[in-house]
Amino acid sequence: MMLFMLLFSRQGKLRLQKWYMAYPDKTKKKITRELVTTILARKPKMCSFLEWKDCKIVYKRYASLYFCCAIEQNDNELLTLEIIHRYVELLDKYFGSVCELDIIFNFEKAYFILDELLIGGEIQETSKKNVLKAIASQDLLQEDFNEYLN
C-alpha cells in the first residue's frame, strides 16, 4: 500500500501532496523536508529506490518535477514506478505535455486525476481511457454548473 505521494520541484517547492496514512501536520512537514532534501541531494544516475525508516521510497523525475511515493516494505518498487509513470501519462494527456505551472494553477485537476487512479493508497483504475473519461465527464458537469450559476 502507498503511504503518501509528494510532487516537488527541483528547487524543493512542494507542489502536490497526498497522504494515505494519518500523520500529524508536524510529522508531515518533517517527512516532506527530509525526503525533499535527501532526493534532491542524490545524483541523476543513482537508483530511484531508497530504504527510509520503516518504508521504501520510490521516486522519478519528469522535467522539473519529482514524483515521490512511500510504500510499505513488502510492496513492489517497480509497480510503484509504473503507477508514477501512469499518473504522469494521464497528466500529459489531460494538460497536453504537463509542466509545473499546470500543477500549480490546476492543482484541483491534478488531485482529481490522482484520486481517479488511486484510492486509499491502492490502484483503483488501470485503464487510462476510463480515467480520462471520468475526468471529461467531471469537466462537463463543472461547465454545466457554471452555466447554471450565470
Side-chain angles (χ1 to χ4, degrees):
M1 184 179 108
M2 193 177 294
L3 306 174
F4 57 85
M5 180 184 264
L6 304 173
L7 268 71
F8 55 91
S9 68
R10 286 184 299 182
Q11 293 77 30
K13 301 264 191 224
L14 191 63
R15 298 301 182 202
L16 187 129
Q17 59 182 335
K18 185 72 172 182
W19 300 85
Y20 298 106
M21 295 289 287
Y23 294 100
D25 285 341
K26 196 172 184 181
T27 307
K28 287 180 184 178
K29 286 179 183 164
K30 184 178 180 218
I31 289 170
T32 302
R33 195 175 337 105
E34 276 182 43
L35 284 176
V36 167
T37 54
T38 302
I39 291 170
L40 289 176
R42 293 173 64 86
K43 292 183 174 40
K45 297 280 184 191
M46 293 177 93
C47 180
S48 294
F49 309 139
L50 293 171
E51 292 284 330
W52 185 75
K53 296 193 178 182
D54 59 341
C55 60
K56 292 185 220 173
I57 304 298
V58 178
Y59 70 93
K60 180 86 171 124
R61 179 178 162 197
Y62 289 91
S64 64
L65 284 174
Y66 283 89
F67 292 73
C68 169
C69 296
I71 57 174
E72 294 175 339
Q73 283 292 339
N74 57 351
D75 283 342
N76 187 334
E77 300 94 341
L78 293 176
L79 182 62
T80 306
L81 211 51
E82 190 61 37
I83 291 170
I84 291 171
H85 187 69
R86 177 63 48 108
Y87 182 50
V88 172
E89 284 178 329
L90 285 166
L91 289 172
D92 269 347
K93 285 233 192 253
Y94 184 77
F95 291 111
S97 188
V98 69
C99 68
E100 190 175 345
L101 290 175
D102 292 324
I103 303 292
I104 293 169
F105 293 116
N106 299 297
F107 65 90
E108 70 284 347
K109 294 292 179 195
Y111 276 114
F112 185 75
I113 293 169
L114 185 60
D115 289 342
E116 283 296 316
L117 184 66
L118 296 169
I119 283 190
E122 299 286 345
I123 190 92
Q124 174 191 315
E125 181 60 69
T126 56
S127 167
K128 285 187 276 188
K129 194 167 130 182
N130 288 347
V131 172
L132 291 169
K133 226 186 269 184
I135 296 161
S137 65
Q138 180 67 26
D139 285 346
L140 197 61
L141 193 65
Q142 191 173 6
E143 284 175 23
D144 289 346
F145 183 72
N146 288 342
E147 284 178 17
Y148 175 76
L149 288 178
N150 294 333

